[in-house]
């Protein structure tokens, strides 16, 4: 389904670019010399569609760069939260390991000896003889 949707968008855009390129084949001079526009020292003569497509690509790159720079705060916060989560997981694993070793080393009641808190022959709350 994803490939179908991609093709549904890409094919019409490609057709539009081809039609645009065929319709705008005449040459234009792009000058970067503000002082001598009649005979520019820095300039290029290109088809109009090339100039427009290059400008569009440069606009997309500039917009993406500006967005990336503006989102640095969120990326920094995400890195900090990820480090905090990693640290918390590590502490949790250490605490679980300590609890496991503590449970393994606790003394278990020895069969035949009375339970702690009751003497032999006493009764518990339910009235059973211990």
């Amino acid at each position: 389904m994803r490939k179908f949707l991609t093709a549904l968008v890409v094919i019409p855009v490609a057709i539009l670019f081809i039609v645009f390129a065929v319709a705008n084949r005449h040459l234009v001079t792009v000058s970067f010399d503000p002082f001598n526009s009649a005979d520019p020292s820095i300039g290029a003569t290109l088809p109009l569609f090339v100039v427009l497509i290059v400008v569009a690509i440069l606009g997309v790159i500039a917009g993406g760069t500006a967005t990336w720079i503006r989102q640095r705060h969120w990326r920094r916060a995400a890195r900090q939260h990820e480090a905090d989560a990693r640290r918390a997981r590590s502490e949790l694993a250490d605490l679980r390991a300590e609890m496991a070793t503590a449970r393994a080393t606790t003394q278990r009641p020895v069969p035949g000896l009375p339970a702690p808190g009751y003497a032999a022959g006493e009764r518990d709350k339910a009235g059973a003889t211990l």
Side-chain angles (χ1 to χ4, degrees):
M1 184 68 168
R2 188 175 190 180
K3 288 183 180 183
F4 175 73
L5 292 175
T6 302
L8 191 66
V9 171
V10 170
I11 291 173
V13 170
I15 290 171
L16 284 175
F17 274 132
I18 292 169
V19 169
F20 180 75
V22 170
N24 295 292
R25 289 179 292 172
H26 57 282
L27 299 176
V28 293
T29 301
V30 179
S31 173
F32 295 102
D33 187 2
F35 302 111
N36 187 4
S37 61
D39 186 28
S41 61
I42 303 172
T45 302
L46 301 166
L48 179 61
F49 74 91
V50 171
V51 173
L52 292 176
I53 291 174
V54 167
V55 168
I57 290 171
L58 291 176
V60 168
I61 291 171
T65 303
T67 301
W68 182 76
I69 289 170
R70 288 186 62 185
Q71 291 177 349
R72 70 183 181 275
H73 170 74
W74 302 111
R75 288 192 307 275
R76 184 181 305 132
R79 282 192 304 270
Q80 183 178 0
H81 292 311
E82 181 62 31
D84 291 344
R86 245 185 268 120
R87 194 173 320 116
R89 283 189 210 108
S90 174
E91 288 178 18
L92 179 63
D94 292 343
L95 289 173
R96 284 182 177 168
E98 287 179 23
M99 289 299 293
T101 56
R103 284 184 186 150
T105 59
T106 57
Q107 291 183 349
R108 300 183 189 222
V110 178
L113 291 179
Y118 294 108
E122 289 185 16
R123 296 185 179 269
D124 65 357
K125 291 180 183 179
T129 303
L130 300 173

